[in-house]
Amino acid sequence: MTTIETQATAGTVPSGKRFFTLAGRYGTVAAFLALILFNVVFTPNFLSLQTLNVNLTQVATIVIVAIGMTLVIATGGIDLSVGSLMAIGGALAPMIFMGTLFPVSSMPVAVALAFVLPVVATGLLGLFNGLLVTRFAIQPIIATLVLFIAGRGIAQVMTNGNLQVFRNEGFQFIALGRVAGIPAQVILMIAIAAIAWAGIRYTVFGRQVIAVGGNEKAARLTGIPVHRVKLLVYMISGALAGVAGLIVVARNSASDANLVGLGMELDAIAAVAVGGTLLTGGRANIVGTVIGALVIQLVRYTLLANGVPDAAALIVKAALILLAVFIQQRAGKS
């Protein structure tokens, strides 16, 4: 092809496609900055440390769950069970240090087990999701729907449907503690996001996740253990949901299996979609997911701070998912 022909071909790129490409790349950051600017101008006390603390602590669990969801979606799957797994993890932890599950002889040991065992349990349940997807070739939306429905029932059976109220400073440090003035849950959120970002960018496993989501058949032909990669991402998603469940119950000083993690699937999927990760797989934008979660949280905060009912936030979240998917599809068309 001659230079003239190349230039002519390049000149035929539609301006509309260029717009959607830019929107898909920078739209989340632009929305985040626009929300900040709006709140600075119209929301009283937005620039206070208290407001910053509220938003960061509220978004921490969304980010943690959404990072696991990002890995799952990057392989071409989806995990609808994260909210129910949060309920299971949040129900199991108090049962351990309160001595309901087994006798407690040492409180420090019981608190340590209350951190470890629920995360292991939810990780194994995530592995169960992965087995349904890989071994039995069940569509991810159906496979994870099993625990989406049954998981919350399991948590309710574990607690006999009762509210578990507690006060344990050692356990609650994960949500209420501070390190150098920074909330512990925010530090945990940043650490998990940093590890996930580095894992995707610099490790073999990260490249395998992207390859499986981009073209599973080609990944299998090149020797990538597709089933093992999928099992790991579902297990990680389950474990991170368990961590988020611990934070929620520690923050509330109570565990309610009916409410812990309720609707978290929507928040996590919205954060992933708004953050630029393709819902069809093949891309994992961890930084975008974090910013997407911040956008979701700021939307909710903005609506509440300006007198809009909380229920309206659900409509806005759904609209954001639709808009993000629409931009992805238009940007992907050649």
Side-chain angles (χ1 to χ4, degrees), residues 6 32 81 128 148 173 200 300 303 308 312:
T6 302
F32 179 59
S81 69
F128 170 76
F148 171 81
F173 182 83
I200 289 295
R300 181 172 182 270
L303 293 173
V308 180

Side-chain angles (χ1 to χ4, degrees), residues 290-327:
V290 174
I291 298 175
L294 289 170
V295 168
I296 298 300
Q297 171 58 28
L298 275 179
V299 165
R300 181 172 182 270
Y301 174 83
T302 302
L303 293 173
L304 290 175
N306 289 276
V308 180
D310 190 30
L314 297 175
I315 300 173
V316 176
K317 290 174 192 175
L320 286 173
I321 294 175
L322 284 174
L323 180 61
V325 173
F326 174 74
I327 290 174

